[in-house]
Amino acid sequence: MYEMITPFGANFELVHQEASDIEMRFFLISRTKSAICPKCQQVSTRRHSRTKRQIKDLPIVQKEVIYHIQLTKWFCETSSCTSKIFTEQLTECPAYQRFTIRAMDFLRQLAFKMNCVQASNLSRNLKLPVSHDTLLRLIYKTPTPQMTSPFPCD
């Protein structure tokens, strides 16, 4: 099997791929030997189990792209840590998110450029389907830049 460049880096092995007329699915397994606990920032090497995540990315050749990723759960070995078990973190996709960061950035740009119903319809046509409610949540979560007045206050 050929080597594939994914947004998830070299610690993932491509074990299977499927392609149809409408979508491409990539099945990846994490091969990390250790992970950092998100609470106490200590390295753990003791495995607990595995879990799966399904993450959507930007389309390829007018096909929806879905990654099925098998991640490792780890025991936190620090006795004072409140997190006894944690899942390894993906830098390309924050916890509990279903889209990669680059896909979310693209959807955010769509949502700000037109109303969310239109953006939802366009995203569906671009093979990155998402509801208008999800786009509204994206807008609400976007931090607003702090503006300073160009006029001095005396």
Side-chain angles (χ1 to χ4, degrees):
M1 189 173 282
Y2 61 90
E3 185 177 332
M4 182 186 130
I5 298 172
T6 69
F8 301 104
N11 288 330
F12 290 89
E13 177 185 346
L14 176 66
V15 292
H16 183 68
Q17 64 186 20
E18 297 174 359
S20 69
D21 292 339
I22 59 172
E23 67 185 13
M24 297 175 77
R25 292 181 179 267
F26 300 98
F27 297 84
L28 304 166
I29 294 178
S30 171
R31 297 293 183 207
T32 55
K33 305 286 186 221
S34 63
I36 297 174
C37 176
K39 298 271 174 127
C40 67
Q41 304 300 312
Q42 296 299 312
V43 176
S44 175
T45 57
R46 201 168 134 219
R47 291 179 191 215
H48 177 271
S49 61
R50 293 209 176 250
T51 187
K52 294 180 182 178
R53 284 185 69 184
Q54 182 175 311
I55 300 169
K56 293 184 179 183
D57 198 7
L58 294 174
I60 299 174
V61 196
Q62 287 297 309
K63 292 184 181 185
E64 188 176 350
V65 174
I66 303 168
Y67 293 105
H68 297 269
I69 303 176
Q70 191 174 45
L71 297 170
T72 306
K73 286 189 170 194
W74 302 89
F75 286 107
C76 183
E77 298 166 338
T78 306
S79 59
S80 60
C81 183
T82 58
S83 177
K84 300 300 177 197
I85 299 169
F86 65 93
T87 304
E88 65 182 299
Q89 303 294 307
L90 296 172
T91 55
E92 302 79 10
C93 183
Y96 305 106
Q97 298 293 318
R98 308 220 182 230
F99 293 93
T100 59
I101 292 174
R102 64 186 183 181
M104 293 298 276
D105 289 342
F106 176 75
L107 291 170
R108 184 176 292 112
Q109 288 179 13
L110 278 182
F112 276 109
K113 300 236 186 268
M114 58 186 74
N115 72 51
C116 289
V117 174
Q118 291 173 337
S120 175
N121 291 336
L122 181 59
S123 71
R124 195 172 301 111
N125 291 338
L126 295 173
K127 307 300 182 201
L128 191 59
V130 66
S131 73
H132 68 280
D133 289 329
T134 300
L135 293 172
L136 282 172
R137 280 191 294 276
L138 262 177
I139 289 173
Y140 291 141
K141 288 181 183 178
T142 304
T144 56
Q146 294 296 323
M147 302 290 283
T148 56
S149 174
F151 305 103
C153 295
D154 290 332

